[in-house]
Amino acid sequence: MTLAGINLLQILNGLTFAALLFIVASGFTLIFGLLRIVNLAHGALYLFGGYIGYTVSSVTSSFTAGIFASIIAVALLGLLIDQGLVRFVRGFVLREVLLTLGVAYVLDDIALVIWGGDTFSVDVPTLLQGAVHIGGVFYPKYRLFVLGLGIVVFLALWLLLNRTRLGALIRAGVDDPEMAEAVGVNIRRVFLGTSMLGASLAGLGGTIGGAFLTLYPTADWEILVFSLAIVIIGGSGSLVGAAVGALLVGMLDTVGQVLFPQFAYFVIFGPMAAILAFRPMGLFGRAT
Amino acid sequence: MLEVRNLHSFYGDAHVLHGVSLEVNSGEVVALLGRNGMGKTTLIRSIMRLAQPQVREGSLLWNGEELMHLTPHEVASRRIGLVPQGRRLFPSLSVVEHLTMLKPASAKHGWTVSRVLDMFPRLAERKNHRGNQLSGGERQMLAVGRALMIDPELILMDEPSEGLAPVMVQHLETIIADLGRTGLAILLVEQNLYSALAVANRFYVLETGKVVHAATAAEIKENQASLLRFLGVH
């Protein structure tokens, strides 16, 4: 069932990698779309979440505890960054970008001090260890779990955004923050909630990804570059765009590494440039 | 009641409002007239405390409370509704979401979704359409409905008749007059003089950032010529 090196295994690898990328990039796109901030610290939040998830799950021997700890800790970290720093430069795009870039370096160094330069892997629970037989290949259960989780996160976010009042407030804020505030929405609170939600998704991604991509210094920049590509391809602020972008990037990366390992990044950024040439706002982006 | 006193507003270095003072009492429909670029929208934006323009002097008293240090949503929470120029609906929200975003659909008091939809049956037929899928008249109705959902005591309406077909303008006049009769105060910015004459109790004329003329409906009935002169119509 090989097609020039591509087989079911590669496709599953691509899909599960895409699911992880989606979890991280959905947080990125939420923040990008509503707060108009290109949060370059998003990768660092991912890595921090991973380390926290690793530590807590090691200490408590509970993967679930690790997941919740990383979600809560990184949400609070996101709140701190937003209220303690980004708030003061809101509206100045270049300053925001530079500030979040600085925050990313600082977080990296703090992580280096706390966890050192070793590579860690989050332990997965027994239930998710081992492999299952599917379509003629044995495939790790854990990676299938990640795929399922990606789908669950997509559905949950979709319902939140499209079927709840909070979601309507977030969409109104994406459309026209000034008018949302003028007709009576406490837009700052919506911004705050969204930036915490976006950060918590990075934290969740860190623990989930830390179990199969492993955690090490600079892992955050790799994830950040992928997230940027996904949001640019999908269109900022679009959940469906992030899902399609993640699928595209996840598949291209996996297939690209098999077929043209020497062009691994080109395989992602070549198509990205091509998409931008025809749709400058991304596949699902809207001019604002 | 709303008392605007000696308001000076700026866009950057441009001094747009030069000491505007006016009042809107409860239950009154007050029309703010004036040609393009005279500062009408600037005044509305100043009252709403939007980030631009910058108000450098003056005071905005609402039922005795100073609005100057509030944020826009705090102004709205004091029951001042806004129907902005150009409607500014949210393209990704449905008709119903425009209404429920400000108040849960289960709310029973004051203005509710069903009360707004009763008032605007056309919107009821399109309640799942998105803001950008409506006709000009429907958009305006939704903008009014959205403002009503905060149970306002005062609504600021910025050129609601702009770009509407004559039959829609008439419909809108009926709505404004009806709302006025319910005790709601309305500050209506209008370029369409006859539309304003049809609904307002009092008039202010704004010219280059100053109130140059004030009159009641009765005074205008007796001497329309003076108002027309201030508007530069004659």
Side-chain angles (χ1 to χ4, degrees):
Chain A
M1 99 178 263
T2 52
L3 176 82
I6 301 175
N7 54 30
L8 181 62
L9 204 62
Q10 305 299 343
I11 292 171
L12 282 171
N13 278 344
L15 285 176
T16 52
F17 185 45
L20 172 71
L21 289 178
F22 169 74
I23 292 172
V24 180
S26 62
F28 194 64
T29 204
L30 271 177
I31 293 176
F32 196 2
L34 180 64
L35 284 75
R36 308 276 198 278
I37 287 177
V38 184
N39 181 14
L40 294 183
H42 200 69
L45 292 176
Y46 162 88
L47 188 59
F48 239 82
Y51 280 137
I52 289 167
Y54 164 76
T55 302
V56 172
S57 63
S58 307
V59 171
T60 61
S61 317
S62 162
F63 183 66
T64 319
I67 289 201
F68 280 107
S70 62
I71 289 176
I72 294 165
V74 177
L76 293 176
L77 195 57
L79 174 74
L80 195 70
I81 294 170
D82 188 73
Q83 287 301 290
L85 296 168
V86 176
R87 184 158 68 97
F88 300 105
V89 295
R90 190 153 286 151
F92 300 95
V93 176
L94 195 59
R95 291 180 208 178
E96 287 167 353
V97 169
L98 284 174
L99 178 68
T100 57
L101 184 65
V103 168
Y105 280 116
V106 171
L107 287 179
D108 272 2
D109 279 354
I110 294 175
L112 200 59
V113 170
I114 301 177
W115 288 283
D118 293 339
T119 298
F120 298 107
S121 180
V122 178
D123 284 333
V124 301
T126 343
L127 187 69
L128 297 174
Q129 284 169 6
V132 285
H133 191 83
I134 113 173
V137 295
F138 282 97
Y139 201 73
K141 279 188 207 164
Y142 180 75
R143 291 195 67 137
L144 293 174
F145 160 75
V146 173
L147 180 58
L149 187 69
I151 294 169
V152 168
V153 167
F154 174 79
L155 291 176
L157 285 177
W158 192 88
L159 288 173
L160 171 77
L161 284 173
N162 294 296
R163 290 286 179 270
T164 68
R165 263 187 79 208
L166 176 63
L169 295 180
I170 292 175
R171 279 181 290 136
V174 171
D175 283 346
D176 189 341
E178 181 185 59
M179 206 31 58
E181 164 128 52
V183 298
V185 179
N186 187 346
I187 199 76
R188 275 189 205 177
R189 208 187 286 166
V190 176
F191 280 173
L192 208 62
T194 309
S195 82
M196 286 179 75
L197 176 64
S200 69
L201 286 163
L204 170 67
T207 305
I208 297 297
F212 75 102
L213 298 179
T214 70
L215 301 161
Y216 49 91
T218 73
D220 53 336
W221 298 105
E222 292 165 25
I223 281 287
L224 179 69
V225 166
F226 283 126
S227 297
L228 268 172
I230 288 166
V231 171
I232 292 169
I233 289 172
S236 74
S238 163
L239 188 67
V240 176
V244 173
L247 270 178
L248 211 60
V249 170
M251 292 309 288
L252 284 173
D253 182 64
T254 308
V255 171
Q257 281 188 10
V258 174
L259 296 185
F260 328 94
Q262 61 277 48
F263 297 123
Y265 267 144
F266 176 79
V267 169
I268 293 167
F269 289 96
M272 183 183 102
I275 287 171
L276 285 186
F278 294 100
R279 289 195 58 95
M281 305 304 297
L283 291 174
F284 295 87
R286 266 198 328 252
T288 47
Chain B
M1 73 184 254
L2 177 74
E3 289 175 78
V4 178
R5 286 189 196 150
N6 190 32
L7 208 66
H8 288 265
S9 295
F10 293 75
Y11 280 104
D13 288 332
H15 194 168
V16 180
L17 295 184
H18 298 263
V20 171
S21 298
L22 57 81
E23 286 173 12
V24 184
N25 298 306
S26 52
E28 245 187 345
V29 179
V30 174
L32 189 61
L33 304 169
R35 286 169 290 150
N36 259 338
M38 292 300 160
K40 304 187 298 293
T41 297
T42 305
L43 178 63
I44 298 290
R45 293 180 60 91
S46 301
I47 298 171
M48 272 329 286
R49 306 303 306 120
L50 293 169
Q52 292 291 336
Q54 213 185 0
V55 180
R56 298 208 188 139
E57 207 186 315
S59 97
L60 291 166
L61 288 177
W62 168 242
N63 295 334
E65 187 192 10
E66 179 60 71
L67 299 180
M68 207 59 95
H69 308 293
L70 302 183
T71 60
H73 85 268
E74 288 169 337
V75 174
S77 74
R78 304 303 194 269
R79 305 179 67 178
I80 298 182
L82 174 67
V83 179
Q85 189 173 34
R87 289 61 144 162
R88 298 210 21 206
L89 299 177
F90 304 110
S92 55
L93 265 58
S94 70
V95 167
V96 167
E97 281 174 333
H98 274 88
L99 306 175
T100 53
M101 66 181 275
L102 298 162
K103 199 190 229 185
S106 56
K108 295 275 180 288
H109 300 288
W111 285 93
T112 57
V113 174
S114 56
R115 198 171 150 201
V116 170
L117 294 182
D118 283 347
M119 186 166 183
F120 303 113
R122 295 260 302 261
L123 290 182
E125 292 165 23
R126 293 174 203 279
K127 61 183 179 184
N128 293 319
H129 284 54
R130 288 180 186 268
N132 56 1
Q133 296 170 325
L134 301 176
S135 73
E138 289 159 354
R139 283 177 197 213
Q140 194 60 64
M141 293 176 195
L142 183 54
V144 174
R146 178 176 65 180
L148 289 171
M149 288 304 283
I150 66 160
D151 298 322
E153 286 175 31
L154 167 68
I155 294 193
L156 311 173
M157 289 194 187
D158 198 349
E159 304 221 11
S161 70
E162 188 186 28
L164 294 186
V167 58
M168 275 313 304
V169 174
Q170 270 178 13
H171 181 46
L172 193 69
E173 287 164 9
T174 319
I175 288 162
I176 293 172
D178 286 350
L179 288 174
R181 273 194 289 277
T182 65
L184 187 67
I186 298 173
L187 178 59
L188 175 70
V189 166
E190 247 325 330
Q191 283 221 58
N192 182 339
L193 173 64
Y194 297 98
S195 193
L197 287 173
V199 295
N201 312 112
R202 281 195 307 118
F203 301 84
Y204 290 98
V205 179
L206 210 57
E207 196 169 300
T208 54
K210 289 192 196 91
V211 172
V212 292
H213 187 62
T216 63
E219 285 164 358
I220 284 176
K221 209 172 266 176
E222 284 183 9
N223 185 5
Q224 221 181 74
S226 71
L227 181 70
L228 295 178
R229 196 169 58 246
F230 276 108
L231 288 168
V233 180
H234 284 248

